[in-house]
């Protein structure tokens, strides 16, 4: 009997091993951390539990910059992942990477999966679509810039808590009252290049760059030293001198200062909502970006941020079928809506937006629809989005030059002139390298 039991156990183990081996693994490299990293892992788990044929394996590969660099090295060595999360500023670079990626529209079609670009929010689908109408990458954690404020700090400063400042002069006024009430960091901003230059441009319907901000050709050149751009950066510099604006660093680093209660107002991604909802120990509000009321056409609409999922080439057809199945899964209105509610990222399909709205979520959580309403306004060629080559390098230049302004080492005009000069050099290099 002992031998029969042993034989049965061995056979069962072999069967389980064979079943496990039969499961096709799909490698997914991403850059999500903290609460958003938990979300990514949960999405993979949900998909894996929904069927037995494929297994999504999510792997954190560092920041967006780091994961892009790692993927290039991995592709050259034949070890690229199936799915790579790339932030929006890497879109032009990925689009120019001939042979390294497969358009998501093609992947879905080849796998026989239903895929309708028209189902997505137009501003989102349009950004990731090639001139020939084919969608290049899968919209994933799409976000936009919004305004967060600490209602408890506002109350202590004698400011209304049911309404955020809507104009930049009102932000200055609120910051002054917060400082007078003892707040050491009235206002800060994360992603200063995205929020204070790029989104600022679209929100005020002024060009960030020529050629429709790069969407119409590789010969685009920067225009961020316009009088309006200079005026805004000068205003922020004056706020910094008065202790009303405290610079807290690059990227999303400043977000921690808002969650902790140190800073009372912040411009950053709608995707910051999940962190605030989970970790803030104070009442908070979400609102549209401030604007200058004397600028014609403002406010317009904000541009897309966040990232999309690119499918890397060189894999087996069965693996691409798994990728397509996963994309179909995370496209369902139920999954999209749940992700939107949890993270603050956009519900990238209109069906998921409607499902969220019908559920009463926006009424129960005022301000959570701000990101969507900012994005679905009528767009113009000046506000459709920004797609430039060597954009990662251009963003670094913006950071460097803006820091010179906050430190009092350069005027706004000097810094923005330098951004244009240095940035255009990057655009020229990219244009020459990708003429074909």
């Amino acid at each position: 009997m002992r031998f029969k039991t042993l034989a049965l156990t061995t056979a069962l183990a072999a069967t389980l091993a064979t079943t496990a081996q039969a499961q096709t693994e799909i490698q997914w490299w991403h850059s999500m951390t903290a609460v958003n990293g938990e979300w990514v892992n949960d999405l993979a788990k949900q998909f894996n539990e929904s069927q037995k044929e494929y297994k999504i394996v999510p792997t954190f590969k560092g920041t967006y910059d780091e994961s892009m660099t790692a993927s290039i090295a991995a592709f050259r060595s034949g070890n690229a992942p199936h799915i790579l999360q790339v932030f929006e500023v890497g879109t032009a670079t990925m689009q120019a990477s001939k042979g390294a990626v497969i358009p998501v529209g093609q992947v879905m079609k080849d796998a026989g999966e239903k895929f309708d670009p028209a189902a997505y929010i137009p501003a989102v689908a349009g950004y990731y679509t090639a001139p020939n109408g084919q969608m290049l990458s899968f919209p994933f954690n799409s976000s936009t810039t919004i305004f967060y404020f600490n209602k408890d700090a506002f109350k202590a400063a004698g400011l209304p808590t049911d309404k955020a400042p809507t104009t930049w002069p009102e932000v200055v006024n609120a910051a002054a009252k917060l400082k007078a009430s003892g707040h050491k960091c009235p206002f800060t901003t994360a992603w200063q290049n995205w929020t204070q230059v790029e989104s600022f441009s679209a929100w005020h319907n002024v060009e960030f760059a020529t050629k429709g901000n790069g969407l119409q050709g590789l010969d685009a050149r920067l225009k961020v030293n316009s009088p309006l751009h200079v005026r805004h950066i000068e205003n922020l510099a004056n706020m910094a001198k008065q202790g009303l604006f405290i610079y807290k660093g690059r990227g999303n680093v400043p977000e921690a200062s808002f969650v902790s209660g140190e800073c009372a107002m912040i411009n950053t991604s709608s995707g910051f909502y999940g962190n605030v909802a989970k970790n803030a120990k104070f009442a908070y509000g979400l609102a549209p970006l401030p604007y200058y009321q004397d600028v014609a056409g403002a406010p317009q609409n904000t541009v897309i941020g966040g990232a999309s999922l690119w499918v890397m080439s060189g894999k087996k057809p069965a693996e691409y079928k798994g990728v397509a199945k996963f994309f179909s899964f995370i496209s369902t209105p139920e999954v999209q809506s749940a992700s939107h509610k949890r993270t603050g990222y956009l519900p990238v399909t209109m069906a998921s937006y409607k499902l969220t709205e019908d559920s009463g979520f926006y009424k129960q959580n005022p301000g959570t629809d701000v990101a969507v309403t900012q994005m679905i306004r009528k767009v113009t060629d000046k506000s459709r989005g920004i797609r430039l080559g060597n954009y990662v390098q251009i963003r670094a230049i913006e950071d460097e030059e803006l820091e010179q302004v906050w430190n009092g080492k350069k005027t706004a005009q000097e810094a923005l002139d330098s951004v244009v000069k240095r940035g255009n050099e990057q655009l020229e290099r990219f244009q020459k390298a990708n003429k074909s």
Side-chain angles (χ1 to χ4, degrees):
M1 178 63 74
R2 186 183 302 126
F3 290 117
K4 285 184 178 180
T5 303
L6 179 61
L8 183 62
T9 302
T10 304
L12 179 61
T15 301
L16 290 173
T18 302
T19 303
Q21 288 172 357
Q23 206 172 33
T24 301
E25 285 197 355
I26 308 297
Q27 299 296 325
W28 175 18
W29 288 6
H30 67 88
S31 299
M32 298 282 91
T33 59
V35 294
N36 287 335
E38 295 169 6
W39 165 57
V40 163
N41 290 333
D42 285 346
L43 279 179
K45 183 181 178 184
Q46 289 168 24
F47 173 73
N48 294 341
E49 290 176 349
S50 72
Q51 45 74 55
K52 300 298 181 186
E53 196 171 351
Y54 307 101
K55 181 181 180 182
I56 295 291
V57 182
T59 304
F60 174 73
K61 279 290 179 176
T63 63
Y64 285 130
D65 291 356
E66 292 167 346
S67 64
M68 270 190 74
T69 302
S71 70
I72 292 169
F75 176 75
R76 287 172 179 165
S77 64
N79 296 310
H82 300 82
I83 304 170
L84 175 66
Q85 183 190 29
V86 179
F87 57 166
E88 88 286 4
V89 300
T91 299
T93 300
M94 295 299 290
Q95 186 177 354
S97 301
K98 308 299 183 187
V101 298
I102 302 177
V104 67
Q106 181 182 328
V107 172
M108 300 299 278
K109 181 181 178 181
D110 292 347
E113 290 293 315
K114 184 180 178 182
F115 185 68
D116 181 12
Y120 293 81
I121 291 175
V124 175
Y127 187 81
Y128 295 118
T129 298
N132 65 4
Q134 186 175 49
M135 195 177 284
L136 300 168
S137 59
F138 181 83
F140 179 56
N141 57 312
S142 295
S143 62
T144 196
T145 49
I146 65 172
F147 187 87
Y148 296 80
F149 64 106
N150 183 326
K151 290 187 175 184
D152 290 356
F154 268 47
K155 184 177 181 180
L159 291 163
T161 59
D162 60 341
K163 184 175 178 292
T166 58
T167 67
W168 278 106
E170 288 176 2
V171 172
V172 174
N173 180 59
K177 290 186 177 180
L178 286 160
K179 184 183 178 184
S181 71
H183 223 88
K184 294 183 179 179
C185 178
F187 171 76
T188 193
T189 185
W191 302 105
Q192 59 178 345
N193 34 33
W194 180 33
T195 60
Q196 305 309 325
V197 187
E198 298 159 22
S199 286
F200 174 84
S201 300
W203 197 227
H204 289 82
N205 200 32
V206 296
E207 285 185 312
F208 178 85
T210 60
K211 292 286 181 175
N213 293 329
L215 270 76
Q216 298 168 9
L218 295 181
D219 54 341
R221 297 296 181 262
L222 299 179
K223 294 188 69 176
V224 296
N225 56 350
S226 76
L228 181 61
H229 289 100
V230 171
R231 169 189 172 187
H232 179 55
I233 300 305
E234 275 182 349
N235 286 346
L236 288 175
N238 288 331
M239 287 181 69
K241 288 175 185 175
Q242 299 170 56
L244 305 181
F245 161 45
I246 308 297
Y247 177 62
K248 287 290 184 176
R250 301 184 183 185
N252 68 346
V253 172
E255 292 177 349
S257 65
F258 181 80
V259 174
S260 69
E262 178 188 358
C263 295
M265 300 182 286
I266 187 171
N267 276 165
T268 190
S269 170
S270 59
F272 178 46
Y273 171 72
N275 188 350
V276 176
K278 182 177 180 180
N279 299 312
K281 306 302 181 187
F282 50 84
Y284 58 87
L286 288 65
L289 293 182
Y291 65 98
Y292 291 102
Q293 67 271 35
D294 60 329
V295 176
Q300 177 59 40
N301 65 280
T302 51
V303 293
I304 195 172
S308 63
L309 303 181
W310 290 78
V311 183
M312 306 299 286
S313 63
K315 306 300 181 182
K316 298 175 182 177
E319 294 169 345
Y320 286 128
K321 193 168 184 180
V323 170
K325 290 283 186 186
F326 177 58
F327 286 172
S328 288
F329 175 80
I330 59 178
S331 291
T332 61
E334 294 76 17
V335 173
Q336 275 290 320
S337 178
S339 292
H340 167 53
K341 292 176 180 178
R342 176 174 178 173
T343 66
Y345 286 116
L346 294 170
V348 296
T349 63
M350 295 305 294
S352 57
Y353 171 56
K354 188 175 187 308
L355 182 63
T356 307
E357 188 173 40
D358 291 346
S359 74
F361 179 77
Y362 297 135
K363 288 183 179 179
Q364 296 161 14
N365 301 273
T368 50
D369 61 339
V370 166
V372 184
T373 56
Q374 282 188 168
M375 285 288 290
I376 62 176
R377 290 165 177 258
K378 182 181 178 182
V379 299
T380 70
D381 285 341
K382 297 175 184 177
S383 68
R384 199 172 305 280
I386 300 169
R387 188 192 294 164
L388 301 171
N390 287 342
Y391 205 6
V392 175
Q393 294 89 327
I394 291 172
R395 274 233 174 132
I397 290 168
E398 287 178 294
D399 276 331
E400 290 169 9
E401 296 295 341
L402 289 175
E403 285 168 351
Q404 295 289 305
V405 178
W406 314 148
N407 292 334
K409 295 179 180 178
K410 280 189 176 183
T411 66
Q413 186 74 63
E414 290 170 341
L416 293 178
D417 284 346
S418 186
V419 168
V420 169
K421 180 178 181 296
R422 296 173 63 194
N424 283 345
E425 289 170 358
Q426 291 291 336
L427 292 174
E428 287 165 13
R429 287 193 195 115
F430 188 81
Q431 184 184 0
K432 287 177 183 177
N434 296 278
K435 275 187 176 179
S436 59

